Amino acid sequence: MDTKHPQTLLKEHLPLIGVLIGVLIVLASMGVYTNWDAETEFSAAQSIITKGFPYVASGWMIDQAPLAFYMTAPVLHLFGNNYINGVNFVTALGLGCVVLIYILGTILYGKKSGLTAAALFGLVPWQVFMSRIYLIDVPYLFLSLIFVIFGVLAIKQNSDRYLALCGFFFALAFLTKLFSIFLMLPLLLMAGLKGKETGFTLTPKRALIFLIPTIILQTIWYAGFANQHFLGVYFHP
């Protein structure tokens, strides 16, 4: 258990705080962006408050995984049901992604590399733009980075507990946007290369530990609430 004094922790992470302040200044100076996709996805988040499900203007449920809209709805309910608050929520998650990049880089290569990666990532044009528009890309990236961090820890420490956490957050990320599956590729590569050193091997049991949360959540949403079959997201109306 970490018993360090808060001032000590603050001093240790002062460079990261500086990076976050710098990124926040850049993001605040960019204003707020919107386009047709953003307006459609925001209307789905608003629909959570009024109807309980992510409907769009056509009357259909949006053809996207739903978790980001359910994450946004409480923010809109508490702070006001308007587009700016939706974007501010995404901005907060964008700053969270910078922190997660720092954590991931630190785990893999040390604090200096983590800090450099976080600073560069925070100023990448894609990240800056996506943090100031209401799209589900930043929420899914936030959850995806968490599952990657736990996946790296599972491989480095040969831990089923971290693998279970990795699977849980992958399930959440996959229920936010299907693109999260692509972040499994570096984990699989690392498992193949680093696993020989740490003793981590992929077994049927470990595959189930990782996949069960995804199977459960996908089944609950698409076969239950969305009233579709398991692969409903691929065959929506």
Side-chain angles (χ1 to χ4, degrees):
M1 181 178 180
D2 193 345
T3 58
K4 293 181 179 179
H5 193 279
Q7 290 183 349
T8 303
L9 290 174
L10 181 64
K11 184 177 180 180
E12 285 185 0
H13 298 293
L14 198 58
L16 176 61
I17 294 172
V19 168
L20 290 173
I21 292 173
V23 172
L24 181 59
I25 291 172
V26 172
L27 294 178
S29 70
M30 299 302 294
V32 173
Y33 297 100
T34 187
N35 56 28
W36 183 87
D37 288 336
E39 292 173 3
T40 300
E41 293 186 7
F42 183 70
S43 69
Q46 289 181 305
S47 180
I48 301 294
I49 299 175
T50 58
K51 300 178 181 178
F53 291 95
Y55 290 102
V56 293
S58 64
W60 293 101
M61 280 195 192
I62 193 169
D63 58 343
Q64 296 278 7
L67 185 57
F69 310 123
Y70 283 96
M71 292 167 63
T72 307
V75 175
L76 300 180
H77 181 73
L78 289 173
F79 298 101
N81 189 359
N82 59 70
Y83 184 78
I84 292 177
N85 285 332
V87 172
N88 288 339
F89 172 64
V90 172
T91 301
L93 292 182
L95 292 172
C97 288
V98 174
V99 175
L100 293 174
I101 289 291
Y102 169 76
I103 294 171
L104 181 60
T106 299
I107 292 171
L108 289 172
Y109 303 111
K111 286 187 177 181
K112 289 183 179 180
S113 296
L115 186 66
T116 302
L120 292 174
F121 174 79
L123 298 177
V124 168
W126 180 92
Q127 171 67 8
V128 172
F129 176 76
M130 286 297 181
S131 294
R132 296 303 290 163
I133 187 171
Y134 186 83
L135 293 171
I136 62 176
D137 298 77
V138 170
Y140 106 80
L141 181 60
F142 179 81
L143 293 169
S144 295
L145 286 170
I146 295 176
F147 97 72
V148 169
I149 288 170
F150 280 121
V152 169
L153 290 173
I155 295 168
K156 289 176 71 70
Q157 299 186 23
N158 193 19
S159 169
D160 286 349
R161 180 169 64 92
Y162 282 131
L163 182 64
L165 289 170
C166 175
F168 173 73
F169 281 101
F170 172 75
L172 296 180
F174 197 61
L175 198 62
T176 304
K177 190 166 186 176
L178 302 183
F179 284 6
S180 57
I181 197 170
F182 292 112
L183 286 177
M184 288 180 60
L185 297 178
L187 283 181
L188 289 173
L189 182 62
M190 182 177 180
L193 298 176
K194 190 73 175 179
K196 296 178 181 179
E197 301 177 14
T198 64
F200 183 89
T201 56
L202 290 173
T203 63
K205 176 186 175 182
R206 281 181 162 168
L208 283 175
I209 290 174
F210 179 83
L211 291 173
I212 282 177
T214 297
I215 294 172
I216 291 173
L217 288 183
Q218 293 287 310
T219 301
I220 288 173
W221 175 254
Y222 289 107
F225 292 110
N227 195 27
Q228 298 174 350
H229 48 76
F230 180 73
L231 297 177
V233 69
Y234 302 106
F235 302 100
H236 57 81

